[in-house]
Amino acid sequence: MLNIFDRYHQLTFDNLHDPKRYELQIQKLFDKTKTNYGIGGLFEKNFKGIPIFSFGYDRQSLAYALAEEVRKENYFLTPPEECRIHIQAKNKDRIVYKFHPADKIVIAVLSSLITELFSPFLSDYVFSYRAGVSNKDEVIVLGNYIKQMRKENGHRSFFIFQTDIASYSDVINVTDRCHFWPMLTSYFKKLNIEPTPYQWYLLKESIRPAYQSADGPLQCNLKGVPTGSPITQVIYNYYISDLDMEMEQQENLFYARYGDDIVLCSPDMEVVEQAKNQLLDGLNKRGLAASEKKTLQYYFSPAGNQGPNSGWRGSNRIDFLGYSLKATGEYAISVPRQKKLMLRVRKRIKNIIKMIPSETVDKKGRILSKFFNDYLSDITNQNNPLILAVRQTNDMQELKEMDRKIALAIAEAATGKKGVKVFREVPYKKIRQEWGLRSLVELRCRLYSHTYLADALGNGRSRGELL
């Protein structure tokens, strides 16, 4: 029988010297800056006067130079600068660390290599910060678990425990005596890899850097991860990876984690209770705790019946990771996301109606319907929020409800009246058949049809990109 680590025998810590890895990370830094800030950002975003553009201009030479300096053990990280930014959406300040672009490249290479090396030690049910995996996948897997248990075992109700690791990024222990370093050492031993003192230096300085504080002197945090560093995602995933493995092996239990969000599910209340206690105890041993505000317990059933005791809230749907999951296993984008989406739709409709104030109700309705249909014409557009909503929903009832809301918005704009009574003047059937408004349900059926997939895949688009 093959050892599960055999396929990694060609991957060692010496791959840290591979220039191709550096060239890839330089390209990613270049592309990310260009996407987020435009062409001008390549010249404006800099560290101590060095623009990002200079790093992408001759990436091959720079990649070779960085890889060679690391190979010779001559490359040393520059202390990042401590910065305070204001997050407007949450109305709070956040401390981040501004790394030299060359350091970000080296740390990104180190992070990607660690991720590849340690992948056998990461649970398949950790969905955060993994290539080709997203929060949607966790929702789908949980939905499939519920469907499977309903079909095979006849279970119609489930017990779900949701929690969030409190201030995860701020309380992670990175002192020399924490469990994290011995755990990393054990992973290296299992892979028959012995990092050199220099490689340990790079790893520890990436995770626990000395930084230039806002007050002036150099400081080093023994708790928390350096926000702004590429290696933070590695720490988020692996800091409790051993606990993930323990939880995953529990019988008759669904366990999944996305960053600091954790969910447990089982048709057996005692299984969830025992798993919850084991989870909380495991977090406590690692210096972590569950957030009381974000800890929820659901008795999950299609009817939304009350649970066996007051500790379990009866519900027929739960919201997590930006999605809404029904007790039947179907999912849709969450209610807050739907509200934001409808606000955008109504704003667009309002802008169009301003340009055609003198047209008849029928003419306005046809124009608005045509605009909406044109807006949905390119179903491969990954940036269209409506198409994205369709891709991220398999609950047809939710799509039908969104269809009615969009039709109502168009009818209200065309007639100048508010409320569902407007359908008496302009029937829903008329909006569909005479005005020609397309349906999101029909769009999803087309999007997932075999004919469309065959044509799109034949044009070189991946199935993951389309779905």
Side-chain angles (χ1 to χ4, degrees):
M1 183 176 178
L2 288 175
N3 187 296
I4 63 169
F5 306 121
D6 284 351
R7 63 193 180 96
Y8 297 94
H9 72 282
Q10 293 181 337
L11 193 64
T12 71
F13 227 35
D14 289 336
N15 288 93
L16 196 58
H17 314 149
D18 184 359
K20 291 182 179 179
R21 288 180 173 270
Y22 290 83
E23 188 175 352
L24 176 62
Q25 295 303 328
I26 293 169
Q27 185 65 53
K28 285 184 176 180
L29 177 62
F30 191 85
D31 292 342
K32 183 177 180 180
T33 304
K34 183 179 176 182
T35 299
N36 292 343
Y37 304 102
I39 296 293
L42 297 174
F43 297 91
E44 294 173 4
K45 296 294 170 182
N46 62 76
F47 183 93
K48 295 183 178 178
I50 305 173
I52 300 296
F53 175 79
S54 64
F55 286 81
Y57 183 69
D58 190 3
R59 58 182 65 90
Q60 286 186 340
S61 298
L62 177 59
Y64 179 82
L66 287 174
E68 189 65 11
E69 288 298 296
V70 171
R71 186 187 68 79
K72 293 178 180 179
E73 301 188 353
N74 289 335
Y75 189 91
F76 295 92
L77 301 173
T78 303
E81 294 180 354
E82 181 187 40
C83 302
R84 187 179 296 273
I85 62 171
H86 183 72
I87 304 175
Q88 191 170 2
K90 297 183 178 180
N91 193 28
K92 67 177 183 178
D93 291 340
R94 180 88 177 159
I95 292 177
V96 299
Y97 299 91
K98 193 173 183 180
F99 288 79
H100 190 287
D103 288 354
K104 290 193 77 168
I105 294 165
V106 172
I107 296 172
V109 171
L110 176 64
S111 302
S112 65
L113 182 57
I114 289 292
T115 299
E116 292 177 48
L117 286 170
F118 289 174
S119 59
F121 310 113
L122 192 64
S123 166
D124 290 336
Y125 292 90
V126 174
F127 292 86
S128 48
Y129 312 118
R130 305 179 78 161
V133 179
S134 70
N135 55 338
K136 176 185 173 183
D137 293 298
E138 180 175 332
V139 177
I140 292 174
V141 172
L142 176 54
N144 288 341
Y145 168 81
I146 290 172
K147 287 180 179 180
Q148 182 180 359
M149 296 297 285
R150 284 168 57 88
K151 181 179 179 180
E152 295 181 1
N153 303 310
H155 294 295
R156 292 185 59 79
S157 58
F158 298 82
F159 295 87
I160 290 184
F161 173 81
Q162 276 184 273
T163 194
D164 184 288
I165 302 175
S167 305
Y168 189 34
S169 62
D170 296 327
V171 299
I172 287 176
N173 189 344
V174 289
T175 61
D176 289 335
R177 294 185 179 182
C178 75
H179 84 287
F180 189 54
W181 304 114
M183 186 176 69
L184 294 187
T185 301
S186 70
Y187 289 169
F188 280 125
K189 285 184 178 180
K190 289 178 181 178
L191 295 168
N192 296 318
I193 294 175
E194 188 173 349
T196 66
Y198 174 74
Q199 290 168 342
W200 272 115
Y201 152 77
L202 286 179
L203 188 56
K204 288 195 173 185
E205 277 299 308
S206 299
I207 294 173
R208 192 181 62 194
Y211 62 90
Q212 194 76 43
S213 68
D215 299 330
L218 287 176
Q219 295 185 12
C220 181
N221 295 332
L222 299 180
K223 276 193 173 183
V225 295
T227 305
S229 170
I231 208 164
T232 54
Q233 297 176 355
V234 177
I235 305 171
Y236 289 152
N237 271 6
Y238 285 94
Y239 190 74
I240 60 170
S241 58
D242 51 347
L243 180 59
D244 292 324
M245 288 294 193
E246 291 177 20
M247 300 303 301
E248 180 192 334
Q249 293 169 8
Q250 301 300 311
E251 291 186 8
N252 199 26
L253 175 76
F254 176 90
Y255 170 86
R257 178 168 69 90
Y258 188 91
D260 56 0
D261 289 293
I262 298 174
V263 61
L264 308 175
C265 178
S266 174
D268 190 326
M269 183 177 70
E270 290 187 7
V271 169
V272 176
E273 289 281 11
Q274 291 175 4
K276 176 185 72 174
N277 293 333
Q278 181 180 348
L279 172 67
L280 297 179
D281 183 57
L283 291 176
N284 183 58
K285 288 179 180 178
R286 293 161 178 80
L288 305 172
S291 170
E292 291 184 9
K293 291 182 179 179
K294 296 183 179 180
T295 295
L296 299 167
Q297 295 188 151
Y298 293 103
Y299 179 66
F300 203 38
S301 65
N305 296 328
Q306 289 301 312
N309 58 59
S310 60
W312 297 93
R313 182 193 305 177
S315 179
N316 60 4
R317 71 164 65 203
I318 58 171
D319 284 338
F320 74 115
L321 300 179
Y323 289 85
S324 181
L325 180 70
K326 282 187 177 179
T328 51
E330 281 80 24
Y331 60 88
I333 61 173
S334 65
V335 173
R337 287 179 65 191
Q338 288 186 35
K339 288 181 178 179
K340 287 183 180 179
L341 181 59
M342 285 309 303
L343 283 175
R344 294 184 67 171
V345 170
R346 285 183 175 277
K347 186 176 180 180
R348 285 177 174 268
I349 289 173
K350 186 177 179 181
N351 290 337
I352 293 174
I353 211 70
K354 286 179 181 179
M355 297 185 287
I356 52 174
S358 59
E359 298 291 349
T360 64
V361 170
D362 191 66
K363 184 68 172 179
K364 288 178 181 178
R366 292 177 185 274
I367 291 174
L368 289 172
S369 297
K370 185 179 186 306
F371 157 77
F372 188 81
N373 293 344
D374 291 342
Y375 187 57
L376 294 177
S377 60
D378 183 8
I379 58 179
T380 63
N381 185 349
Q382 300 286 332
N383 298 318
N384 187 316
L386 269 173
I387 292 176
L388 192 62
V390 173
R391 292 179 186 279
Q392 296 178 341
T393 299
N394 77 344
D395 186 344
M396 291 301 186
Q397 195 59 42
E398 286 293 324
L399 287 178
K400 287 180 181 178
E401 186 60 30
M402 288 176 65
D403 271 340
R404 286 193 69 84
K405 289 178 181 178
I406 292 168
L408 176 63
I410 289 177
E412 287 178 337
T415 62
K417 299 177 182 179
K418 298 292 183 182
V420 292
K421 289 183 179 180
V422 75
F423 283 139
R424 295 177 182 176
E425 182 177 342
V426 183
Y428 182 72
K429 188 175 182 181
K430 177 178 180 178
I431 298 173
R432 292 287 171 208
Q433 295 183 355
E434 295 184 24
W435 290 0
L437 180 63
R438 289 181 63 185
S439 164
L440 297 182
V441 173
E442 177 272 328
L443 178 65
R444 190 183 190 283
C445 292
R446 182 188 167 204
L447 186 62
Y448 284 75
S449 70
H450 295 295
T451 302
Y452 164 70
L453 284 175
D455 291 343
L457 292 171
N459 290 327
R461 303 176 69 88
S462 70
R463 184 183 180 92
E465 182 184 6
L466 293 167
L467 303 185

